[in-house]
Amino acid sequence: MSELKPKSNFNQTITRTTLLGGLFVCSVVITLVAWYISYSTLKERTADRFDYTIGNIQSAIQERMAAYKQVLRSAVGFYYAADTITRAEWSRYVQTLQLEKAYPGIQGVGFTIRLSPDEVPEFTQKVRAEGYPMFRVWPEHAREEYHSILYLAPFTGRNLRAFGYDMFTEQHRRAAMERARDSGDPAASQMVTLVQEIGSDVQKGCLIYLPVYRPKMSLATVADRRAALKGFVYSPFRINDLMRGILGSVDTPVEFEMYDGRNTDTSNLFYTSHKYNAQKSSAAFSTSRYVTVGGNEWTVVFTSRPNFVSRYELRLPNIIAIAGIIVNVLLLFILMRLSALSKKNRVLAEQYKAEKDRYEIVSLSTNDIIWEWDIVANTVTCNKNFEVVLGYPLPDEPFSFASWISYVHPEDRDGVATEMQTFIKGDQKFWSGEYRLQKKDGTAIYILDRGRLIFDAAGKPASMVGSMINITERKMAEDAQRRFNEELEQTVLARTLELQRSNEDLERFAHVASHDLKEPVRKMRTGIDLVKIRYQNVLGDGVALIDRLAKSASRLNQMIESILAYSTVKFEAQNAEAVDLNEVLHHVTDDLELVISEKDAQVNVHPLPIIEGSPVLLHQLFYNLVNNALKFTRAGVKPVVTIESKPLHGSEQDWVEIHLSDNGIGFNEEEAAKIFHSFVRLHPKDLFEGTGLGLALCKRVVERHGGTITATGRPGHGATFILTFPVNQHQGLI
């Protein structure tokens, strides 16, 4: 029997070396694969981040411009809702839009009216009569039709320069206006320099137009729309202000330039988020996108900044490679410490579970439904909020896309399904929409749904992830506010028009009646005087009766004169000029010299300012006030009238406040408001003469000058009348 020999150590060494060599080679291969995967992942992740960032910017621009176009549509609706619109009504409407707060970047909302050459002179005179004596339609060269800016609010600052401008005379504006006119849709102009640009910080700008057609005219064809055109509602934009309003002051890791059209020559550049440099440095990412605004196309060139990819991200593949080498060196040690590694794996598993639980807690705290649509398998998965929001139990397995669509409200279901199927076939990555979901209890909720496409290695849509936010309360509040505003606007408009017509009819009647009554009363007074002179010796005791008739005729004449003066303040225009109130009070005291002397009164006039107004009306104002102070005096008390002023400074307008005080009979504070009403008397006419129109006339004169008048007093302690006037009005008609 042959002897058994031990196995050769050489073979064992070869086997161990081969094993270790194989392990080392496998480790090197794994390290290289890990480096490659890390590099590819970094590249893909940063590319997705770049696409996501520029997608947000592009969406922000498109959504904001869509909101601006909606502002124009609401303005057109406001114009159609009323028979006529005044400048003040237009201004108040634009103020309710709160442009600076709700639509930052928009310069204003205006209306331009279409005119034939024959209509321009009458139109110009009409606007000038509204208080703009320097108004003109410009440029002034002859043309077939004119489109003058009539309303523009806010009507301050830069916007004042555009008043009367005919935008149809400039080729880019005209092209946009013609597109809007022929299509009936909003149309944006190419980049222009707005007429509002003055001084420093001159920017490029554009305008968006929406046509206003004459009611009850056919709009079926382009020719019909051209014939029915009445004007345009429009908004001007300064591009730098517009972009700041859209994007705010956030410093994004992406730079971008905007060009008018698809030509990216420097001549077409109208906005840049950074300091422009024609010699562009190489960037990690750069692409062009196109944004269509009102039929006009903008090219946006996006470029990543140098810090778009952090140093850590750039070094990560090299770190992985170095780590792989270290792993190779320590491989044998790691193999010997499998038990320790197993323990570490358990720790990692627990950490993973904790991270997963944390994700579930965060997702539940948001009350948002987070979903993922596997486009290839056509299945949908959701987080736990699906049960919380809709009330249905969440399936253990992903459910089909058709099952998911069944939760959409029946009226919105087909539209949502079609829209999402169309979206994944397009070239966009981000989608959003608002629609309704049907809850288990049968009620419906409004949700804002936003999602993002994820592509596979071949560039085809693989899945889509997103979230749903419950916006039911917001939608209900918006609908309630809209209905309330519509009802309130109609009620206020109807009542205002009715009251205005009634007041104007009454005042015109008073004006005409008092004017026509002057002559009969004059003849009556003349006849009474003649009877008294010719038959005084014959009448005897009848003279007292004639005196009473004369006194009644005089009072009637005074009443007619007061009514005529009161109505004249509204219906007769007055030229505004610089009026020295010191000179006005000098003439007033001269006119009342006899009354002042008879009552031994003292009138103290302190220095008064110069204001813009009508000398005739201001004389009438202070004559009535001083005469009232001298009329309503206390028996045995020497009348003292004091007139003084002080300046008031406001943010946009400087004012002067004038106090006229007396030591007369005074009045109760609760009667302070009604003393300015027509035909209101606080005292019997047999004690104090008057018609009850003096203070009503004063109030109308003050308001016609853009001011206010109030009064305070105490019985037996006199009264004080407080008047405020603007001190820097533009001259013209008042």
Side-chain angles (χ1 to χ4, degrees):
M1 186 174 185
S2 61
E3 184 180 0
L4 292 175
K5 297 181 180 179
K7 291 185 178 180
S8 172
N9 290 333
F10 176 77
N11 291 334
Q12 293 178 3
T13 302
I14 291 296
T15 302
R16 188 180 301 111
T17 302
T18 302
L19 178 60
L20 293 176
L23 290 175
F24 181 77
V25 170
C26 290
S27 178
V28 170
V29 171
I30 291 172
T31 300
L32 292 174
V33 170
W35 174 85
Y36 177 77
I37 292 175
S38 175
Y39 176 79
S40 300
T41 302
L42 171 63
K43 187 175 181 180
E44 181 180 355
R45 185 171 63 247
T46 52
D48 289 343
R49 190 197 314 161
F50 179 74
D51 290 341
Y52 179 80
T53 301
I54 66 177
N56 282 342
I57 296 174
Q58 184 180 6
S59 297
I61 296 173
Q62 290 175 326
E63 291 174 3
R64 181 57 60 83
M65 298 311 294
Y68 291 157
K69 289 189 284 187
Q70 194 61 35
V71 170
L72 295 184
R73 293 188 186 277
S74 69
V76 171
F78 171 70
Y79 195 93
Y80 284 145
D83 294 332
T84 59
I85 294 179
T86 66
R87 191 177 311 280
E89 290 171 339
W90 183 267
S91 179
R92 286 196 298 271
Y93 170 73
V94 175
Q95 287 178 0
T96 62
L97 296 178
Q98 298 183 336
L99 298 180
E100 293 184 0
K101 180 179 179 181
Y103 306 97
I106 193 170
Q107 295 298 308
V109 180
F111 174 72
T112 174
I113 187 169
R114 181 187 186 188
L115 301 167
S116 66
D118 295 338
E119 294 173 324
V120 171
E122 181 181 353
F123 170 75
T124 301
Q125 291 301 320
K126 181 179 179 181
V127 176
R128 289 178 177 177
E130 294 177 4
Y132 303 95
M134 303 304 293
F135 174 80
R136 62 190 179 92
V137 179
W138 60 284
E140 297 181 351
H141 64 270
R143 45 196 178 273
E144 294 182 357
E145 60 180 280
Y146 295 73
H147 291 263
S148 171
I149 295 176
L150 179 57
Y151 302 142
L152 181 55
F155 196 52
T156 58
R158 298 175 181 269
N159 285 345
L160 295 176
R161 289 177 52 85
F163 193 26
Y165 177 56
D166 184 352
M167 294 181 285
F168 213 59
T169 60
E170 195 276 322
Q171 60 175 351
H172 295 319
R173 293 176 174 86
R174 178 169 184 161
M177 295 167 76
E178 289 177 339
R179 280 192 286 111
R181 175 198 65 194
D182 293 346
S183 65
D185 295 325
S189 71
Q190 295 183 14
M191 285 298 137
V192 297
T193 299
L194 301 176
V195 297
Q196 288 96 323
E197 294 295 339
I198 57 174
S200 59
D201 189 27
V202 175
Q203 304 177 17
K204 288 287 188 179
C206 69
L207 304 99
I208 299 181
Y209 300 91
L210 188 63
V212 177
Y213 298 109
R214 300 183 187 277
K216 299 180 181 180
M217 293 186 68
S218 173
L219 303 177
T221 66
V222 172
D224 291 340
R225 290 190 285 272
R226 291 179 178 178
L229 181 66
K230 185 175 183 179
F232 296 91
V233 170
Y234 79 99
S235 285
F237 301 89
R238 301 176 79 229
I239 195 64
N240 291 355
D241 296 344
L242 174 64
M243 297 309 298
R244 280 194 296 268
I246 294 175
L247 303 177
S249 57
V250 178
D251 186 18
T252 64
V254 174
E255 299 175 344
F256 62 95
E257 301 162 2
M258 300 181 70
Y259 297 84
D260 200 1
R262 294 211 171 197
N263 191 338
T264 57
D265 289 343
T266 305
S267 59
N268 291 336
L269 176 67
F270 63 85
Y271 176 78
T272 177
S273 64
H274 56 284
K275 185 175 181 181
Y276 180 74
N277 184 4
Q279 302 295 329
K280 296 181 176 60
S281 59
S282 58
F285 300 97
S286 180
T287 188
S288 297
R289 295 286 178 88
Y290 303 102
V291 177
T292 301
V293 178
N296 191 41
E297 196 169 52
W298 297 348
T299 301
V300 188
V301 179
F302 296 94
T303 306
S304 62
R305 295 181 183 269
N307 62 346
F308 183 76
V309 182
S310 66
R311 292 183 178 180
Y312 171 77
E313 290 177 309
L314 291 174
R315 293 174 179 174
L316 185 60
N318 295 332
I319 293 174
I320 292 176
I322 295 173
I325 295 174
I326 295 175
V327 169
N328 293 334
V329 175
L330 300 176
L331 181 60
L332 291 178
F333 177 77
I334 293 173
L335 292 175
M336 295 172 61
R337 301 295 303 271
L338 286 177
S339 59
L341 182 59
S342 176
K343 182 179 179 180
K344 185 177 181 180
N345 286 340
R346 287 196 300 272
V347 173
L348 290 175
E350 292 175 358
Q351 292 178 348
Y352 171 77
K353 184 178 182 300
E355 291 292 333
K356 185 176 180 181
D357 292 342
R358 188 180 296 113
Y359 164 76
E360 291 292 340
I361 294 173
V362 171
S363 66
L364 286 174
S365 66
T366 63
N367 291 326
D368 297 345
I369 300 177
I370 300 175
W371 53 268
E372 180 177 2
W373 175 22
D374 186 336
I375 297 175
V376 178
N378 204 25
T379 58
V380 178
T381 56
C382 297
N383 67 343
K384 290 286 187 180
N385 284 334
F386 176 86
E387 296 181 350
V388 177
V389 175
L390 298 182
Y392 296 101
L394 183 66
D396 296 331
E397 299 294 332
F399 44 88
S400 66
F401 181 79
S403 298
W404 164 250
I405 288 296
S406 67
Y407 296 111
V408 179
H409 192 277
E411 295 179 3
D412 300 340
R413 190 174 300 158
D414 293 339
V416 173
T418 302
E419 186 176 347
M420 295 189 72
Q421 293 292 344
T422 304
F423 171 75
I424 63 174
K425 297 177 182 178
D427 57 355
Q428 301 294 322
K429 288 188 176 182
F430 301 94
W431 175 83
S432 65
E434 294 183 6
Y435 54 89
R436 291 169 291 175
L437 291 179
Q438 194 88 30
K439 296 178 65 174
K440 186 177 181 180
D441 60 8
T443 60
I445 61 171
Y446 283 91
I447 58 103
L448 171 61
D449 194 357
R450 291 178 290 192
R452 180 188 184 280
L453 275 178
I454 299 177
F455 300 89
D456 59 17
K460 296 181 179 180
S463 63
M464 187 174 179
V465 294
S467 64
M468 298 178 179
I469 303 174
N470 189 342
I471 59 171
T472 303
E473 292 184 0
R474 191 194 79 187
K475 296 290 287 187
M476 293 176 63
E478 290 176 352
D479 290 343
Q481 184 64 40
R482 176 182 53 79
R483 290 193 298 269
F484 174 77
N485 290 342
E486 290 176 353
E487 294 173 0
L488 179 61
E489 181 179 350
Q490 293 298 325
T491 302
V492 170
L493 180 60
R495 292 182 178 177
T496 301
L497 291 176
E498 181 180 355
L499 182 59
Q500 182 178 359
R501 286 194 297 267
S502 177
N503 288 341
E504 289 181 354
D505 290 344
L506 288 174
E507 291 183 352
R508 290 187 184 277
F509 173 77
H511 182 78
V512 173
S514 59
H515 186 275
D516 292 345
L517 287 173
K518 286 180 63 179
E519 181 61 19
V521 172
R522 186 187 66 80
K523 291 180 178 180
M524 184 187 304
R525 294 179 64 191
T526 302
I528 292 172
D529 291 341
L530 290 175
V531 169
K532 182 178 180 181
I533 292 171
R534 293 180 181 178
Y535 304 104
Q536 185 172 9
N537 297 328
V538 179
L539 291 174
D541 294 339
V543 173
L545 179 60
I546 294 298
D547 289 338
R548 291 178 62 187
L549 289 174
K551 186 175 181 181
S552 297
S554 178
R555 186 177 299 160
L556 177 60
N557 183 69
Q558 184 182 6
M559 177 71 74
I560 293 172
E561 291 289 351
S562 298
I563 294 174
L564 184 60
Y566 180 75
S567 59
T568 299
V569 172
K570 178 172 183 179
F571 291 106
E572 292 186 5
Q574 298 286 332
N575 290 322
E577 58 185 69
V579 180
D580 187 346
L581 295 183
N582 297 289
E583 185 176 346
V584 171
L585 265 298
H586 176 71
H587 292 311
V588 169
T589 54
D590 282 349
D591 292 345
L592 295 171
E593 181 179 6
L594 181 59
V595 179
I596 295 172
S597 177
E598 289 177 351
K599 295 199 174 187
D600 192 21
Q602 180 180 344
V603 180
N604 301 319
V605 182
H606 295 272
L608 299 175
I610 297 175
I611 67 172
E612 294 287 341
S614 166
V616 175
L617 296 181
L618 291 173
H619 181 277
Q620 194 171 17
L621 166 67
F622 286 100
Y623 181 91
N624 281 351
L625 292 176
V626 175
N627 190 35
N628 264 14
L630 297 174
K631 181 192 304 182
F632 298 101
T633 58
R634 290 179 288 165
V637 177
K638 178 181 178 179
V640 178
V641 181
T642 303
I643 306 169
E644 54 190 354
S645 68
K646 64 178 180 179
L648 300 176
H649 300 289
S651 58
E652 298 182 358
Q653 174 73 59
D654 290 334
W655 298 76
V656 62
E657 184 175 276
I658 300 174
H659 287 221
L660 191 149
S661 306
D662 62 57
N663 61 343
I665 61 175
F667 57 86
N668 292 321
E669 279 294 329
E670 57 268 21
E671 298 173 332
K674 69 179 184 179
I675 63 175
F676 295 104
H677 295 171
S678 303
F679 302 107
V680 170
R681 296 175 53 87
L682 303 184
H683 309 285
K685 62 182 179 180
D686 56 345
L687 295 180
F688 299 98
E689 294 184 355
T691 62
L693 281 173
L695 291 180
L697 174 63
C698 292
K699 184 175 186 295
R700 176 161 288 185
V701 171
V702 172
E703 290 178 347
R704 189 156 176 182
H705 284 77
T708 61
I709 181 170
T710 56
T712 61
R714 284 195 303 160
H717 290 79
T720 298
F721 289 86
I722 304 168
L723 300 86
T724 61
F725 292 100
V727 297
N728 54 354
Q729 294 188 110
H730 296 292
Q731 294 188 16
L733 294 177
I734 64 171

